[in-house]
Amino acid sequence: MSAQHIHILYIDDEIHNLNAFKASFRRLYNVFTATSAEEAVKLLEEQEFHIIISDQRMPKMTGIEFFESILEKYPEPIRMLLTGYADINAVVDAINKGQVYKYFSKPWNEEELKHNIEKAFEVYSLRKENKELTAKLLDVNEKLEFLVRQKLIS
C-alpha cells in the first residue's frame, strides 16, 4: 500500500496545529482532522483509519481518555500521542490505558513524525495480516479435524 493510502486522523483543539499537520502531511497521506473527541468519534464511524494521532490536553477529554474510550470499538488503528507538556504520568497512562504506540512532544519534528507514521503503518499492516492468517489457519484446522473424524467413523 502506498503512503497516500494511509488514513490518519489527527485530533487537536488548536486549529493552527491541525492546519500545520495537514499542510505538512496531506501530500503524503490521507489526513483527516477533528477539533474534539466527539468530532473524532463521528469520523471513526464514517471512515477506516490506520493511525490516530491525538493531542493530550484538550477540553472535556484528554488524548489518553479518548484512546481509552475508543479502544474496544476501534482496536485496530495505531494510536500516537502528541503533547506540549512533559508529563511522565501522562506517558505511563498513554502506554497502559490507551495502548499508545508512540508519544511525541510538540512542536513535532516533521521527519521524525513521518518516520514513525511509516513504522506505525507497518505495525498496523502486520497485525492485520497476522489476524487474517490466524483466521485462515483456524479454518483449515477445522476442516482437517472434520476429515479426521470422518476417517475415524468409516
Side-chain angles (χ1 to χ4, degrees), residues 8-15 18-19 22 31-49 52-54 58-62 66 69-70 74:
I8 299 172
L9 173 58
Y10 177 46
I11 306 113
D12 197 320
D13 60 312
E14 297 179 37
I15 299 292
L18 295 174
N19 291 337
K22 205 165 200 170
V31 176
F32 297 78
T33 59
T35 57
S36 68
E38 295 84 9
E39 191 179 330
V41 169
K42 287 178 187 170
L43 287 169
L44 282 167
E45 290 169 355
E46 300 168 2
Q47 176 74 44
E48 178 184 349
F49 291 99
I52 302 172
I53 301 171
S54 178
M58 298 183 290
K60 297 183 185 174
M61 185 181 285
T62 67
F66 169 70
S69 75
I70 65 164
Y74 304 101

Side-chain angles (χ1 to χ4, degrees), residues 57-94:
R57 294 203 179 179
M58 298 183 290
K60 297 183 185 174
M61 185 181 285
T62 67
I64 296 164
E65 291 168 342
F66 169 70
F67 287 142
E68 198 174 6
S69 75
I70 65 164
L71 199 53
E72 190 173 320
K73 192 169 182 182
Y74 304 101
E76 291 87 12
I78 303 299
R79 291 162 296 284
M80 299 166 75
L81 193 69
L82 279 171
T83 187
Y85 304 92
D87 180 357
I88 192 67
N89 291 330
V91 174
V92 172
D93 283 348

Side-chain angles (χ1 to χ4, degrees), residues 99-152:
Q99 296 184 9
V100 170
Y101 171 74
K102 287 282 184 182
Y103 180 92
F104 296 95
S105 295
K106 289 180 184 177
W108 62 77
N109 173 302
E110 195 171 317
E111 279 305 309
E112 179 186 12
L113 192 53
K114 178 182 178 283
H115 172 75
N116 281 285
I117 286 170
E118 300 290 332
K119 290 294 178 192
F121 183 71
E122 219 174 277
V123 169
Y124 174 89
S125 298
L126 288 170
R127 284 180 183 172
K128 185 174 183 175
E129 183 180 4
N130 187 31
K131 191 175 182 180
E132 290 168 359
L133 289 171
T134 300
K136 286 180 184 177
L137 183 61
L138 289 171
D139 183 52
V140 168
N141 194 36
E142 281 181 25
K143 289 175 181 169
L144 283 172
E145 285 177 3
F146 175 77
L147 290 173
V148 168
R149 280 194 300 272
Q150 293 297 75
K151 182 125 177 122
L152 289 173

